[in-house]
Amino acid sequence: EDQVTQSPEALRLQEGESSSLNCSYTVSGLRGLFWYRQDPGKGPEFLFTLYSAGEEKEKERLKATLTKKESFLHITAPKPEDSATYLCAVQANSGYALNFGKGTSLLVTP
Amino acid sequence: KAGVTQTPRYLIKTRGQQVTLSCSPISGHRSVSWYQQTPGQGLQFLFEYFSETQRNKGNFPGRFSGRQFSNSRSEMNVSTLELGDSALYLCASSFGGRRTDTQYFGPGTRLTVL
């Protein structure tokens, strides 16, 4: 059975303090791994898609990387507006459903 | 370009009632997926429709059903509501082609069952 585990569950950072969020997964044939950001009361907002081990993608202060067993979301010099829940999801070759982790709740304080 | 829209945004029902939620995908998208989000279980996949056909189904009871229209708009229905059905119901749309394509989410419908 496909599984996605995110850690830590919650993370508090000072503004400018870089860190990484982890997403460990097991899937029978990875079609893609997705990162989303979700603000309270809103739907998830797409950030990145990674398809194969070794792939990296960047957007502003965020960088996502992928290995055969996990993905990292690196946040460089975060700002308070980066506070949100970050969700990781995998899509298997067998279907179109996204299998989500429980998310990491990030709080960045000034 | 308009995003995914969902109506209504908020809904309060009582146990035993039924409810219908609506989703309009991004223009040009032919795939619509539905997810249930609760604090305990997180985001869970309900079903996915493409060109009016259900292609994938999650592990939810038969009380949860859906359909898709020729214009790609989709509805989901929950019959005989239970307290545990209280959740944020999210709809996501994508092109639906064979290659992995991104699912874009709507704002959700917050359902409260009393």
Side-chain angles (χ1 to χ4, degrees):
Chain A
E1 184 179 315
D2 301 343
Q3 258 193 325
V4 180
T5 303
Q6 291 188 246
S7 61
E9 289 185 15
L11 181 63
R12 183 182 180 120
L13 299 173
Q14 289 272 355
E15 184 172 3
E17 179 186 2
S18 302
S19 187
S20 295
L21 312 183
N22 177 265
C23 171
S24 298
Y25 66 91
T26 54
V27 63
S28 51
L30 179 70
R31 179 180 282 183
L33 184 140
F34 300 79
W35 282 98
Y36 288 86
R37 166 198 170 125
Q38 187 174 27
D39 293 297
K42 296 188 176 181
E45 174 189 345
F46 170 72
L47 294 173
F48 304 108
T49 307
L50 302 167
Y51 296 103
S52 56
E55 191 174 1
E56 298 182 354
K57 288 193 176 173
E58 284 188 70
K59 178 182 177 180
E60 297 180 355
R61 296 178 293 282
L62 301 176
K63 178 180 177 180
T65 62
L66 181 65
T67 72
K68 288 187 177 180
K69 293 184 179 180
E70 56 192 350
S71 177
F72 291 94
L73 185 65
H74 306 278
I75 304 177
T76 303
K79 298 181 178 181
E81 53 261 41
D82 294 323
S83 297
T85 295
Y86 290 84
L87 297 164
C88 169
V90 297
Q91 188 178 54
N93 284 327
S94 56
Y96 294 88
L98 293 179
N99 188 356
F100 281 87
K102 295 288 179 67
T104 293
S105 177
L106 173 66
L107 177 64
V108 182
T109 57
Chain B
K1 195 173 186 180
V4 178
T5 58
Q6 292 187 245
T7 57
R9 292 294 314 279
Y10 302 92
L11 209 48
I12 299 175
K13 293 286 186 179
T14 57
R15 279 181 299 174
Q17 286 187 309
Q18 75 165 18
V19 67
T20 299
L21 313 181
S22 181
C23 172
S24 292
I26 292 170
S27 178
H29 285 187
R30 295 168 65 191
S31 169
V32 173
S33 299
W34 288 89
Y35 295 82
Q36 180 195 66
Q37 186 174 30
T38 59
Q41 299 298 318
L43 270 147
Q44 293 185 287
F45 172 74
L46 282 156
F47 29 66
E48 184 253 357
Y49 286 87
F50 178 79
S51 293
E52 302 179 67
T53 300
Q54 186 182 90
R55 286 196 300 193
N56 283 226
K57 188 177 189 309
N59 296 324
F60 278 81
R63 299 185 297 107
F64 292 82
S65 63
R67 59 178 175 167
Q68 187 180 34
F69 302 96
S70 58
N71 61 359
S72 295
R73 191 177 69 85
S74 177
E75 288 181 348
M76 70 162 279
N77 184 276
V78 188
S79 63
T80 319
L81 284 166
E82 300 177 359
L83 295 178
D85 296 333
S86 294
L88 181 66
Y89 289 90
L90 292 159
C91 160
S93 78
S94 68
F95 288 109
R98 293 180 64 185
R99 174 169 170 72
T100 301
D101 60 350
T102 300
Q103 294 185 23
Y104 295 92
F105 284 82
T109 294
R110 171 72 63 185
L111 173 64
T112 301
V113 182
L114 302 175

